[in-house]
Amino acid sequence: LFQLLNSLGDDLKFAYMVSKLTLKVAAENSVEVIPSVEAKCERCWHYSARVGQNTEPPTICGRCVENVAGNGEVRHFA
């Protein structure tokens, strides 16, 4: 299962609808949920350290700035 999920790369977080996801090899399947301490982007609602790094607009994350004003992100699976 680890290899399959890991093959999705960063797109896996979109399948699980979470801001961040870390996979680890373990003897059995389990899930640990840890609430984020990062700021919430008002556009995508992901919690990210990149919220506020841009002055225009200051309330969205760098990923959303790229999607709104740049070339947009590249997704492979999700």
Side-chain angles (χ1 to χ4, degrees):
L1 184 60
F2 174 83
Q3 290 178 346
L4 174 66
L5 293 175
N6 197 46
S7 72
L8 299 177
D10 198 41
D11 285 357
L12 184 60
K13 70 182 179 187
F14 299 111
Y16 279 90
M17 295 191 300
V18 296
S19 300
K20 181 179 177 183
L21 190 136
T22 304
L23 292 175
K24 296 179 183 178
V25 176
E28 58 186 55
N29 295 333
S30 66
V31 175
E32 179 182 9
V33 178
I34 302 170
S36 178
V37 296
E38 305 297 343
K40 182 179 177 181
C41 174
E42 70 176 23
R43 180 178 178 269
C44 71
W45 290 21
H46 283 206
Y47 292 86
S48 171
R50 296 175 63 193
V51 172
Q53 287 184 344
N54 300 286
T55 57
E56 278 301 313
T59 55
I60 66 173
C61 67
R63 180 179 148 257
C64 284
V65 169
E66 179 65 24
N67 283 325
V68 171
N71 294 328
E73 68 186 313
V74 175
R75 291 191 190 179
H76 300 282
F77 301 102

